[in-house]
Each structure stands twice: as structure tokens, then as C-alpha cells.
Amino acid sequence: MAVKIKLKRLGKIRAPHYRIVIADSRTRRDGRAIEEIGKYQPTYHPSIIEVDADRVAYWLGVGAQPTEPVLAILKKTGDWQKFKGEPAPAPLLVAEPKKARPLFEALGGDDSGKGEAITQKKKAEKKDEAAAESSEPTEA
């Protein structure tokens, strides 16, 4: 049985994310997997790549063959170079954690309502003007 390291697609139609899995080469893309060893989310900026390096090294050591997309991912994480004995690549970009927004009350915000709207409705003004013109007597 030939074992492959491949991507298993999950997610919605236009929002895919993938699991990096160990599977028999004869199984379908989203079929049964032997083991899940990581995840890949390409829609985020920068994309999220998480790989269990120990399990990747084990499966590469016993002869599992990565598919082309997985090979590209393993080259970015440095697991492929580690397996082949080559120098490691540059570190991956990591997204900055989002800053917490200050609380509304901390900024001195006032939650009391102001009451009425400032601007008048335009339709009401037109009706009032039309009623005023029609009530005036015309000189003949």
C-alpha cells in the first residue's frame, strides 16, 4: 500500500481550508485518512500553516510521499529541508495579534440619548408648502 501525505479539503465553496493528512494513495481527496498531521488555511493573510513536525518526520521516514501542494507547504515550514538535510528556509510570516479596542466608557462616551432627530423630514415640508399655496386666494 502506497501512503501519501495530501490535503483534505474542508469549508465552504469560496472559503476553503485544508487538513494535511496521511492517507492511502487510492482513497479519494476527502476520503478516509490514516492520520491528520496539520492544517492549512490559505484565505487568511498571511495564510495559516500548522504542521506537527515530529509526525511529518516519522511518515517521511517510513516512505510516505507528499503530493506537490503538500511538498510546497513542507518546504515553507522547513520540514522538507530537515528531512533532506539541507539548510533551513527563512522563517514564516506570523500575523500580528489584534489590538483590543478600548471600551466605550473608557473613552468618556455618554450613553444617554439626545432625544429628537436634528433634521426635519423633507416630505413634510413639501406638503406644507403645497397646502399653503392652495389656501391663498388668487387675484384675477
Side-chain angles (χ1 to χ4, degrees), residues 51-87:
V51 179
D52 186 359
D54 295 335
R55 298 307 295 165
V56 169
Y58 168 77
W59 283 105
L60 289 173
V62 296
Q65 296 296 314
T67 59
E68 289 182 24
V70 173
L71 182 62
I73 291 170
L74 294 179
K75 284 182 179 179
K76 285 189 177 193
T77 60
D79 293 320
W80 183 253
Q81 288 88 340
K82 188 175 180 182
F83 174 69
K84 289 291 188 177
E86 298 172 356

Side-chain angles (χ1 to χ4, degrees), residues 34-45:
I34 298 170
E35 183 181 357
E36 293 182 358
I37 59 171
K39 66 181 180 179
Y40 171 55
Q41 296 177 345
T43 56
Y44 289 80
H45 181 72

